[in-house]
Amino acid sequence: MTANARPWLTLAEAAERAHRDPRTIRRWAATGRIRAWEPVGVRLFNRDDIDQAKRETRGQGRR
């Protein structure tokens, strides 16, 4: 499995992938826009959800 195929991303990876501030990623998770998972004290974010949210917000501001 390549790094691009991993379904879960760290906060930094998710923010970089979405071209958004990490606070935005946290807010998206808090509001249910994207899935988050905390298996061992590290919050992970679903890659497909990040891609979908990025498409939906295209042109609505960048970090």
Side-chain angles (χ1 to χ4, degrees):
M1 182 182 302
T2 66
N4 289 338
R6 290 182 323 147
W8 297 96
L9 306 171
T10 65
L11 177 61
E13 291 168 336
E16 183 178 332
R17 186 175 185 96
H19 304 287
R20 297 292 189 273
D21 189 275
R23 292 173 292 190
T24 300
I25 304 303
R26 286 189 193 105
R27 186 175 59 248
W28 286 352
T31 60
R33 185 172 191 175
I34 61 173
R35 289 173 282 177
W37 179 46
E38 196 167 333
V40 287
V42 176
R43 186 183 254 184
L44 301 174
F45 303 89
N46 185 271
R47 184 192 65 214
D48 293 336
D49 291 354
I50 294 291
D51 292 344
Q52 180 63 35
K54 180 181 174 183
R55 283 190 295 273
E56 291 172 355
T57 59
R58 186 167 281 145
Q60 295 182 10
R62 306 270 183 216
R63 65 175 163 145

